[in-house]
Amino acid sequence: MNDILPPESARWEWLEEKVRNLMARFAYRNMRTPIVEPTALFVRGLGEVTDIVEKEMYSFEDKLNGEQLTLRPEATAGVVRAVVEHTMLYEGGKRLYYMGPMFRHERPQRGRYRQFHQIGAEALGFPGAEVDAELILLAHSLWQEIGLQNVELQLNSLGQPQERKAHRAALIAYLEKNVDALDEDARRRLYSNPLRILDTKNPAMQELVDGAPRLYDFLGEASLRHFDTVKAILDANGIPWTMNQRLVRGMDYYNLTVFEFVTTQLGSQGTICGGGRYDYLIEEVGGKPAPAVGWALGVERVLELLKEQGSQVPALAPDAYAVVPDAASLPQVMATLQKLRALGVSVQMHTPTTAGEGMGSMKSQFKKADASGARFALVFGSDEMARGAVTVKALRDGDGQQAERQLSAIDGWADALKISG
Ligand code: ATP
Ligand code: MG
């Protein structure tokens, strides 16, 4: 679990801002659900025989009432629970998004943490393939907005439950024939969840997995048509994709379209975003049956990839730094700074870190002003202040130009201090 500190946290805020802005343009609305949910929600929702439920959940008993609780390992189950609880689909479908921490007890490594953060989008109540495509377009737009490169879109279709059933029987027969080549996990899952065996990360089993019967070959006409529509919309939008028939995703709740955005630049933690359709989850957690589709991206992985690609995020710097030679003027100085902030200027005030030694020399204050990255110093000298003015001195450009500004006319010159001004 990581502490996210400044200046790194500025990258997080930058990304979150881009996401909010983009979600608004797609008319997706923000949703915030609790970090703790009943354990049963995840066991039912994600499936008992999944990596997450079997070995990654932080579960505990509420000592006060004996309830079994879990720190959410993902947010879709909680969103669905809330949608059902508040009958949000009563007047039609909903487009929603969330951001926040998730918890999985994994072996920590680059791009894999025990508290990590996801941003996710969900469209609930819409059966059509156009919504699957819209969600993929949304993710794709986000990569463009933040300048992310080299992400590959991989698609697959998991079909419908009865198609999976037929495939499952064929798969079990195949795996039974090759039982000697199965690792321990796979043997345990042979009858409980054979499809997940195809999702193995064990290189020793790749050959076996490659030769297994493919779910895709079991898809019926309606499933294929749904998938074709998704692909046609992506093609019309010039979004490249590749077919990955081994893409099965980590939760049991998916059907029809599944997808991942993958990069080769983060080692083995190359999936930055994954999602798909989950038409049976709402019913599974006790709601009236309704279709749904969504995705989640890993914030840490997206930010690491951006960094890897050398992307520059605006540095943290105030517009102005207030140099205050005399502590006696602080009440008036701070009243002025409040006005500037109300006018949209970001100002950092010089503040001593040692008690009882005054404000410090002008030299040391200017040194701090410089280090802050501010473009201007506001010098609140007693001479200026006696004239009801402040000196505005350029720190970055303009060869240290300075000019005296009347405090009574602050509205007239405040804008020029702003980066955007
Ligand atoms: P992986 O196959 O890498 O374990 P996953 O299939 O378990 O990923 P999802 O549950 O689909 O991941 O979550 C969506 C995204 O969240 C992933 O694509 C990834 O970017 C991110 N993510 C998942 N687990 C972690 C983690 N432990 N640390 C950081 N990011 C994660
Ligand atoms: Mg995982």
Side-chain angles (χ1 to χ4, degrees):
M1 299 187 182
N2 299 308
D3 298 313
I4 301 156
L5 314 173
E8 185 60 24
S9 54
R11 297 176 81 90
W12 286 69
E13 291 190 307
W14 170 86
L15 176 64
E16 288 159 5
E17 192 50 44
K18 295 273 185 196
V19 168
R20 281 193 197 97
N21 186 293
L22 185 67
M23 292 292 177
R25 274 182 277 151
F26 275 78
Y28 280 63
R29 306 301 177 212
N30 185 234
M31 180 95 173
R32 301 173 191 218
T33 62
I35 282 170
V36 179
E37 296 275 1
T39 303
L41 174 69
F42 301 113
V43 176
R44 293 199 65 174
L46 276 55
E48 216 152 338
V49 195
T50 54
D51 278 347
I52 293 180
V53 170
E54 280 186 331
K55 48 193 183 197
E56 296 176 359
M57 295 204 303
Y58 284 95
S59 298
F60 58 98
E61 185 190 293
D62 181 334
K63 288 202 189 78
L64 297 178
N65 60 12
E67 254 187 285
Q68 287 302 318
L69 302 175
T70 293
L71 299 184
R72 64 183 187 192
E74 56 97 64
T76 301
V79 166
V80 167
R81 182 212 35 82
V83 162
V84 170
E85 199 171 314
H86 303 281
T87 54
M88 285 174 68
L89 299 183
Y90 184 69
E91 352 92 6
K94 281 272 182 292
R95 290 174 163 89
L96 304 167
Y97 80 94
Y98 60 81
M99 317 191 196
M102 309 295 157
F103 303 84
R104 297 183 193 177
H105 194 104
E106 303 204 66
R107 192 168 71 77
Q109 51 198 293
R110 184 183 187 200
R112 193 176 292 287
Y113 311 103
R114 291 182 174 173
Q115 174 173 337
F116 63 101
H117 297 75
Q118 287 185 339
I119 293 171
E122 320 276 5
L124 301 104
F126 307 109
E130 67 279 6
V131 188
D132 309 34
E134 177 183 276
L135 276 154
I136 295 173
L137 294 175
L138 170 58
H140 178 84
S141 299
L142 182 60
W143 314 144
Q144 290 192 316
E145 293 281 321
I146 63 177
L148 200 64
Q149 284 152 13
N150 304 334
V151 277
E152 180 187 275
L153 170 60
Q154 299 185 353
L155 297 179
N156 193 15
S157 175
L158 300 182
Q160 296 290 13
Q162 62 279 17
E163 294 155 0
R164 281 162 81 157
K165 216 168 138 193
H167 169 253
R168 183 191 150 102
L171 183 59
I172 290 177
Y174 169 82
L175 294 171
E176 278 174 336
K177 263 193 294 171
N178 296 284
V179 75
D180 291 342
L182 300 181
D183 64 14
E184 197 189 319
D185 259 2
R187 270 180 219 185
R188 197 162 32 82
R189 289 173 172 175
L190 178 52
Y191 300 103
S192 56
N193 198 345
L195 192 65
R196 288 297 321 280
I197 297 176
L198 304 183
D199 195 27
T200 179
K201 294 194 167 84
N202 181 356
M205 285 186 29
Q206 287 314 316
E207 200 179 323
L208 180 73
V209 164
D210 287 340
R214 293 178 190 280
L215 174 55
Y216 197 81
D217 298 327
F218 290 77
L219 298 192
E221 203 198 318
S223 294
L224 289 171
R225 209 179 324 118
H226 186 99
F227 199 40
D228 285 342
T229 305
V230 174
K231 292 187 283 191
I233 296 171
L234 297 179
D235 290 342
N237 281 276
I239 297 182
W241 50 269
T242 60
M243 183 69 193
N244 178 0
Q245 294 196 13
R246 287 183 25 209
L247 187 60
V248 295
R249 308 279 303 127
M251 297 75 150
D252 282 355
Y253 53 56
Y254 290 108
N255 68 303
L256 293 175
T257 323
V258 289
F259 55 90
E260 288 188 351
F261 287 91
V262 184
T263 160
T264 52
Q265 281 178 268
L266 291 174
S268 52
Q269 271 60 253
T271 303
I272 57 165
C273 176
R277 187 160 272 285
Y278 53 94
D279 292 333
Y280 304 96
L281 180 61
I282 296 176
E283 187 178 7
E284 185 65 41
V285 307
K288 206 168 130 238
V293 51
W295 53 249
L297 67 79
V299 176
E300 284 84 355
R301 290 188 198 176
V302 166
L303 290 175
E304 273 166 57
L305 183 56
L306 274 173
K307 220 182 232 179
E308 191 84 3
Q309 297 180 351
S311 108
Q312 297 293 321
V313 173
L316 279 184
D319 295 322
Y321 191 98
V323 172
V324 189
D326 182 2
S329 60
L330 278 171
Q332 206 195 333
V333 169
M334 289 180 80
T336 304
L337 301 190
Q338 282 297 86
K339 277 186 201 142
L340 285 170
R341 290 170 182 143
L343 290 166
V345 181
S346 63
V347 201
Q348 180 176 338
M349 182 177 69
H350 181 75
T351 317
T353 51
T354 321
E357 290 184 12
M359 297 300 286
S361 70
M362 289 289 268
K363 191 172 164 214
S364 71
Q365 291 200 35
F366 268 105
K367 222 164 139 184
K368 284 270 162 53
D370 223 34
S372 77
R375 288 164 63 236
F376 297 98
L378 305 176
V379 188
F380 289 91
S382 40
D383 293 351
E384 295 93 317
M385 292 193 72
R387 292 190 288 272
V390 60
T391 297
V392 179
K393 182 171 161 47
L395 295 175
R396 304 273 155 239
D397 29 51
D399 300 326
Q401 273 177 22
Q402 58 179 66
E404 203 167 291
R405 301 284 181 209
Q406 282 299 312
L407 296 179
S408 57
I410 202 165
D411 293 42
W413 51 268
D415 263 0
L417 300 179
K418 291 191 241 176
I419 296 215
S420 54

